[in-house]
Amino acid sequence: MTEASNTVRFLHDEDYGAPFDTRTLDHQSMVFMGGRLTESLNDGWRFVIDPFDTGLRQHWYRDEAVPAAERGMPWDFQPDHGAPVELPACWNLQEPELRHYEGTVWYTRWFDYAPSVDGERVVLRIGAANYDTKVFLNGRFLGNHLGGSTPIFVELTDGLAARNRLQLCVNNTRTLDRVPMRHFDWFNYGGVHRDVALLRLPPVFIRDLFVRLAPDDAGVIEVDVTLSDRSAEILVFEIPELAVSATIALRGGAGTARIPAQPDLWSPDSPKLYDVVARCGADEVRDRIGFRQVTVDGTQVLLNGEPVFLCGICVHEDDEALGRVRTEEDARRMLATAKELGCNFLRLTHYPHHEMVAQLADEAGILLWEELPVYWAVAFDNPATLADAENQLLELIKRDRNRASVVVWSIGNENADTDARLAFKTKLAETARAHDPTRLISAACLINKGNYRLEDRLAAVIDIVAINEYYGWYEPDMDGLAQTLTAYDLDKPLFISEVGAGALTGWDGSETELFSEAYQAAVYRGQIELLRGCAALCGLSPWLLYDFRTERRQNAFQQGWNRKGLIGADKATRKAAFAVLQGFYRERGGFSGA
Ligand code: GCB
C-alpha cells in the first residue's frame, strides 16, 4: 500500500479503535507493591488533546520525531510538541478550555534506561487514569486498560532501549458499555490522576501476597502467594515481632500456608500493625498488616467477635484545586476530620479511592467501605461490561486486601432491580468472596417509595443490607423513614449508606428553606431521632463529608457542586449539621475526639 492510499484508509476507517481494544492490562498483570522501590516518572510529560482520535487512526505513536527537512510527507502530530505537564493531574483543571473536555489525550515522555542487574524486568505502574488507557513504548502498542480508578501495570522489559519514548493515550468519554456508564453524580475528570512509576524487578518476582487472620481461627495467619514464574520452589515468610518464620513450598509458582500465631488484634481502638516480610530468590517484599476478623451475627456486625456500630460518613475523591488527585496531606486531613466528627468508619464512594487512604486508615484505626462504580444504569446484559466490572473488582481486591481497615467491598450503588442486574451483581459478589473470604459484601439497595419497604432482590445476596434514603430531602415526609425502618424484617444488618440534605456554606436561611444550613441541620436532627430507635441498624454513613464538583447540579445554590457536604468545598468550613452528627456519634461511642 502506498502512503497516499494508506492515508485515505485512515480517513475512512471507523474501526480504527479495534486493534487497540485488547484489554490485556488487567488484574493478572498486577505486581505486589509492598516495600518496593519505585522510580517516579511523574515529571517531564508533554500533552496533546485529540478529540477526533486521529492519533489512533493515523498511528501517531509511530512518529519518528525527525526534523522537517528529513520528512517525506507532511505530518499532523509531533508528540514532543505538546504542552508540558507534571503528573498526576486532571486535565480539566489544567487550563480553562479543558474544563469540560471529554475525549482523548496523548501524554508523551522520554526516559533513559540501563539495567542494574542481568535479567532485570521492568514494569510501568500507573496508579490510575480515567478511563481507557493505551500504552505505547518506542512506537509499539503494549496494551490497554479499562477502568478509571484502579492501577495499571505493563511490563516494558522487551521493548526497552537506552533512550525510550513512552506514550499514554487516555480517553474519558462516557459510553454505554463503561462502568460507570454515562450518567453519574460526580465530575468526569480526565487524565492520569495517580502516580506514574517504574519498577525494577528480578527475573522471578513476587506477584501477589495475601496475608490475613484466618476467618475460622483467630490463632492462625493464612498466607497466599503467587510468583511471576513457575520455577520458584520456596518462599520465606516472616513476622519478626511474632517470631513467625515459615518456609512455604511453591507448586506451579504459587503457595499457601496456615501459620499458628497469636497477634494482638487490630481494631479502631488499637490499630496494631505488624511488619511482614516475604523473600523468594532475589526478590523481597514487605508490608505492615493488621489482623482482625469481621463477621455478621443476625443484625449485628462483629469486629473480633464484638458488636461494632459503624459511625460513618461518605466521601468522594475530589478537590477544588486538584480534582481527583489525592495528596497525602489531603488524605491525612480527611481522616483527622472524620475522627473529629466521631467516625470509626468511612464509605469511600463511588469508585476505588487512592490506595494511600487505606494504608493511612490502617494506622489511624478507621474502618473502610470500598466501592466499585457499578452506579445507576449500567449495561447489565453486556458480557464485556461484566468483564470490565469484574476486572476492576479484582484489581481493587488485589490492591487492598492486606488492609485490615477495609471491612466492606461494595459492589455498587442504586441500580434498578432487573434480572440482568441481579445476575451481574451476584457474579460480582461470588468473585469477591472467592478472592477474599475475610470481608463483608454490601451494596446500596432500593426502597420502594410507594409502600416504604426495602424491595431489592440483591438484599438476599449481600451480607450488609445498605439503603440510601433521603427522607427530609428528596422525600420531605420523615414519616416514610419510620415506616421503612419498621417494615425492615431481614435477619441481616441494616446500614444507612446515604442520608442528607444540601446546604450552601454560610447561607443562613431558616429551617424551612431548602439549601440553608439550618434546613440541613434539621434533617440530621429528624433522621437521628428515628434512627436511634432502630434495633437492626448497624451504622450509617451520611452523604457526605465535603461538597464535591458535579456537572449535573446547576441551580443557584449549587453552581456545579453537590452541596450535601457537612463541610464546604474548602474542606475547612463546617456547616451547622456537622455538630449535630458529631453529637450523635459521641453518644454512640465512635471516636471521642481523642
Ligand atoms: C444518591 C447517590 C449519590 C448522589 C446523592 C445525591 O443517592 O448515591 O451519588 O450524589 O444521592 O446527592 O442526590
Side-chain angles (χ1 to χ4, degrees), residues 5-286:
S5 64
N6 215 7
T7 306
V8 171
R9 186 171 59 79
F10 289 145
L11 299 181
H12 295 270
D13 179 11
E14 280 308 318
D15 247 348
Y16 65 89
F20 306 101
D21 189 19
T22 58
R23 304 170 191 221
T24 43
L25 308 180
D26 62 11
H27 71 98
Q28 296 185 74
S29 34
M30 291 176 79
V31 176
F32 185 79
M33 291 299 293
R36 292 198 187 282
L37 291 177
T38 58
E39 294 167 36
S40 173
L41 290 186
N42 280 343
D43 61 357
W45 292 88
R46 296 272 172 178
F47 163 95
V48 171
I49 69 159
D50 180 17
F52 289 84
D53 275 339
T54 315
L56 295 178
R57 293 170 187 271
Q58 295 193 2
H59 303 159
W60 280 352
Y61 53 91
R62 291 186 189 155
D63 187 89
E64 294 286 336
V66 286
E70 291 169 32
R71 289 179 188 256
M73 296 276 289
W75 69 102
D76 294 322
F77 174 69
Q78 245 172 281
D80 295 307
H81 219 69
V85 62
E86 176 149 358
L87 299 177
C90 295
W91 68 60
N92 319 75
L93 302 177
Q94 270 171 238
E95 303 165 27
E97 298 79 40
L98 295 177
R99 175 56 68 106
H100 296 290
Y101 177 65
E102 293 183 316
T104 294
V105 154
W106 288 79
Y107 297 91
T108 303
R109 183 201 203 275
W110 293 83
F111 67 94
D112 294 332
Y113 171 72
S116 359
V117 292
D118 268 0
E120 174 174 272
R121 294 172 71 173
V122 178
V123 169
L124 173 73
R125 180 183 194 270
I126 303 164
N130 189 29
Y131 177 97
D132 180 337
T133 303
K134 300 174 174 56
V135 181
F136 300 85
L137 180 70
N138 298 327
R140 264 183 53 212
F141 172 58
L142 297 186
N144 84 312
H145 175 269
L146 298 185
S149 309
T150 43
I152 305 165
F153 291 83
V154 50
E155 182 156 6
L156 306 183
T157 315
D158 293 342
L160 283 170
R163 182 128 179 95
N164 301 280
R165 186 172 77 189
L166 181 62
Q167 285 175 287
L168 308 176
C169 171
V170 181
N171 175 288
N172 75 332
T173 309
R174 287 168 297 112
T175 66
L176 288 173
D177 57 349
R178 291 185 176 176
V179 186
M181 204 166 84
R182 285 200 305 207
H183 187 207
F184 43 87
D185 188 25
W186 64 88
F187 197 94
N188 186 29
Y189 291 109
V192 179
H193 60 88
R194 293 190 193 139
D195 294 316
V196 186
L198 281 187
L199 296 167
R200 292 174 190 252
L201 302 164
V204 176
F205 58 88
I206 298 167
R207 202 175 259 297
D208 189 28
L209 176 69
F210 179 23
V211 182
R212 71 278 181 185
L213 198 62
D216 58 348
D217 188 341
V220 169
I221 289 173
E222 290 181 330
V223 183
D224 288 345
V225 60
T226 310
L227 277 291
S228 62
D229 191 286
R230 301 174 63 84
S231 64
E233 288 175 0
I234 55 163
L235 175 128
V236 174
F237 175 83
E238 290 174 357
I239 309 177
E241 201 181 332
L242 292 172
V244 164
S245 178
T247 300
I248 302 177
L250 306 172
R251 306 241 176 296
T256 65
R258 278 174 70 89
I259 304 167
Q262 296 295 333
D264 289 341
L265 299 186
W266 183 99
S267 71
D269 293 331
S270 171
K272 169 72 186 160
L273 301 176
Y274 289 90
D275 286 321
V276 165
V277 189
R279 279 185 214 98
C280 181
D283 201 21
E284 175 180 294
V285 294
R286 293 174 173 270

Side-chain angles (χ1 to χ4, degrees), residues 185-186 316 347 350 375-376 413-414 468 470 474 498 543 548 553 562 564:
D185 188 25
W186 64 88
H316 258 292
R347 177 181 177 218
H350 281 297
Y375 182 93
W376 290 354
N413 186 75
E414 292 180 354
N468 298 345
Y470 282 89
Y474 296 123
E498 287 177 37
W543 193 246
F548 62 98
R553 309 261 175 196
N562 185 314
K564 295 191 189 71

